[in-house]
Amino acid sequence: MDFDLIIIGAGPAGLCLARALRGSGLRSCLIEQQPRESLQDPAFDGREIALTQHSAELLRQLGIWPLLGEAHVAPLKDALVLNGGCGPNQARMLISHRLSPRSELGHLVANHHIRRAAFAAALADGAGDGQPPELRCCEQVVRIHTDARAAQVTLGSGQTLSARLAVAADSRHSSTRRAMGIPADMHDYGRTMLVCNMTHEQPHHATAWEWFDHGQTLALLPMNPCPRTGQHRSSVVLTLASHELQPLLELDETAFGQAMTRRFGQQLGAMRLASTRHAYPLVGVWARRLVAQRFAAVGDAAVGMHPVTAHGFNLGLRSIDTLSSALIAAHQQGQDIASPALLERYQQTHQRASRGLYLATHAVATLYTREQTPARWLRHAMVGLGERFTPFKRAMAASLTGLA
């Protein structure tokens, strides 16, 4: 064997898995299409990740958390769900950190900062950490084949590598998962998400918003103050049909700020663009199987969540924690790290942890994008009932912290 593991994809999931296996005695290889420079110093991509308390603890165990930098970690204390337009009839549900055992529900960290810190932790030379994984950049997997003895991966350069286990960490649209014959249920929500950073006059009080307005969905993720101006700053998410979103992307900065101020009903005062703008189509993916012979999928390649609950990366970290723990234990006991029994246990554990959340998120996302009058009434009633039912809000707080 060339390696014990070949990890296909050096995004956050692949890098975290490689970091989790350092010092275990398992030899890993990361294969990534991007150049090393893009991994080492990733560009801003607009996405802010809501990390649960559980995920923060996992990142501490991996040595990634200290590398994020305090300036790049913002507290997430409360979550506010709104339904309907501005006015006295707007339904509100506040999920407070006071309903949880922690002083914060979680933390907000930009995706590119997580990628940068994960790369440093996974690839840095360090005494006592074991050898870093081998990194093959600017390479594409053109063929994967597994049998009872090994997994073989052929690269675009023509080289073939072998390992005891191949792991797909190459996004929710994983070509590796597809090449292994694993079907996935994909739901295109027919919407596109615009994300950017904006400053605003009114404070956010470390509260995340999820606002299901008429004809649009808005989200606001609280960030630390703008380092240049000291103004209140948030990551803003607007979800619309693609043809409605494109004109907003073409507005100049001043016009865009005015448009977003109006869309937020001026509840945050004047808003100004503080970053580049990025658009992502919304597609949810549920892989029907997570494993095959000497093969496993982790991160978004296993479960690609709709971002309405901001749980995608948190679920990805759970998959990495579950799989890496099983691999290290098997290796220490001299067992096959790709045995059918081990891979089946991983699949059952992670699907059990993610199925309910995936289905609930899908149901919520579907309901809250419908504009028919019955759907609006149902949304209004659900948010109002949730605000009055404290046990439900306490359960939501536990879910948001990841401590449920």
Side-chain angles (χ1 to χ4, degrees):
M1 301 293 171
D2 295 304
F3 302 97
D4 293 304
L5 283 96
I6 293 175
I7 303 169
I8 303 165
L15 289 169
C16 287
L17 178 58
R19 177 64 185 90
L21 297 175
R22 282 194 63 166
S24 67
L26 292 167
R27 296 168 296 124
S28 302
C29 177
L30 278 163
I31 300 174
E32 171 58 47
Q33 297 185 46
Q34 296 185 73
R36 185 185 182 94
E37 294 74 21
S38 298
L39 300 176
Q40 195 166 5
D41 187 20
F44 172 78
D45 62 10
R47 290 177 288 188
E48 292 287 321
I49 306 299
L51 295 172
T52 65
Q53 296 286 359
H54 179 260
S55 292
E57 181 56 35
L58 291 178
L59 292 177
R60 290 187 186 98
Q61 294 172 13
L62 295 175
I64 295 174
W65 188 263
L67 301 177
L68 293 172
E70 292 184 7
H72 301 309
V73 179
L76 173 57
K77 288 186 174 293
D78 303 325
L80 179 64
V81 182
L82 306 169
N83 185 73
C86 295
N89 293 325
Q90 185 183 61
R92 291 173 167 244
M93 177 175 63
L94 179 66
I95 302 169
S96 172
H97 67 279
R98 295 182 178 86
L99 298 172
S100 77
R102 301 292 181 90
S103 59
E104 299 164 342
L105 293 178
H107 313 271
L108 270 299
V109 185
N111 183 58
H112 70 291
H113 290 314
I114 294 175
R115 291 179 59 197
R116 172 184 50 78
F119 179 89
L123 275 300
D125 292 325
D129 259 346
Q131 290 297 312
E134 184 170 321
L135 177 61
R136 302 285 188 97
C137 289
C138 301
E139 288 279 16
Q140 184 175 5
V141 173
V142 296
R143 183 176 183 270
I144 181 170
H145 171 75
T146 66
D147 56 31
R149 193 185 73 85
Q152 290 189 327
V153 170
T154 303
L155 307 180
S157 60
Q159 185 178 12
T160 297
L161 304 176
S162 63
R164 291 198 282 165
L165 176 67
V167 178
D170 54 343
S171 85
R172 66 187 61 201
H173 302 293
S174 172
S175 59
T176 312
R177 181 191 63 216
R178 189 179 302 111
M180 288 296 297
I182 296 179
D185 297 324
M186 296 192 181
H187 186 89
D188 187 339
Y189 292 93
R191 297 287 190 274
T192 299
M193 175 178 71
L194 183 155
V195 289
C196 62
N197 293 347
M198 302 194 76
T199 59
H200 42 85
E201 293 179 322
Q202 302 301 319
H204 49 54
H205 302 295
T207 299
W209 294 20
E210 191 71 45
W211 183 4
F212 301 101
D213 195 6
H214 301 318
Q216 64 177 4
T217 302
L218 294 158
L220 181 136
L221 301 174
M223 301 177 66
N224 292 328
C226 177
R228 291 184 292 104
T229 65
Q231 292 178 298
H232 305 297
R233 184 175 57 146
S234 297
S235 173
V236 169
V237 185
L238 170 64
T239 303
L240 291 171
S242 298
H243 70 277
E244 296 179 62
L245 200 62
Q246 188 58 38
L248 283 170
L249 293 169
E250 298 170 355
L251 293 176
D252 62 43
E253 291 189 11
T254 300
F256 180 79
Q258 293 170 346
M260 294 304 294
T261 300
R262 289 192 299 270
R263 286 183 177 275
F264 272 89
Q266 301 190 21
Q267 294 184 79
L268 294 164
M271 303 178 70
R272 294 177 176 83
L273 187 64
S275 74
T276 52
R277 287 165 279 185
H278 302 262
Y280 299 96
L282 295 183
V283 179
V285 178
W286 175 264
R288 296 186 190 175
R289 290 184 288 117
L290 305 187
V291 300
Q293 189 176 49
R294 297 199 171 273
F295 175 83
V298 298
D300 280 0
V303 182
M305 294 284 287
H306 187 290
V308 68
T309 60
H311 261 291
F313 184 62
N314 297 305
L315 276 180
L317 277 178
R318 283 185 179 270
S319 71
I320 289 152
D321 183 45
T322 301
L323 181 61
S324 63
S325 297
L327 296 179
I328 293 170
H331 179 64
Q332 291 175 343
Q333 296 166 18
Q335 299 173 354
D336 184 1
I337 63 169
S339 70
L342 182 151
L343 295 178
E344 180 62 26
R345 284 195 301 272
Y346 159 69
Q347 174 173 263
Q348 291 181 1
T349 300
H350 190 53
Q351 285 191 329
R352 188 165 54 245
S354 55
R355 182 181 284 109
L357 184 59
Y358 178 85
L359 293 175
T361 300
H362 173 69
V364 168
T366 301
L367 172 64
Y368 282 88
T369 53
R370 291 177 178 169
E371 291 301 321
Q372 296 89 344
T373 300
R376 290 186 177 184
W377 286 348
L378 181 57
R379 293 199 298 261
H380 189 87
M382 289 175 64
V383 173
L385 181 62
E387 172 63 18
R388 294 189 294 271
F389 191 50
T390 301
F392 172 75
K393 292 202 292 184
R394 185 171 287 111
M396 287 295 294
S399 174
L400 291 173
T401 60
L403 303 176

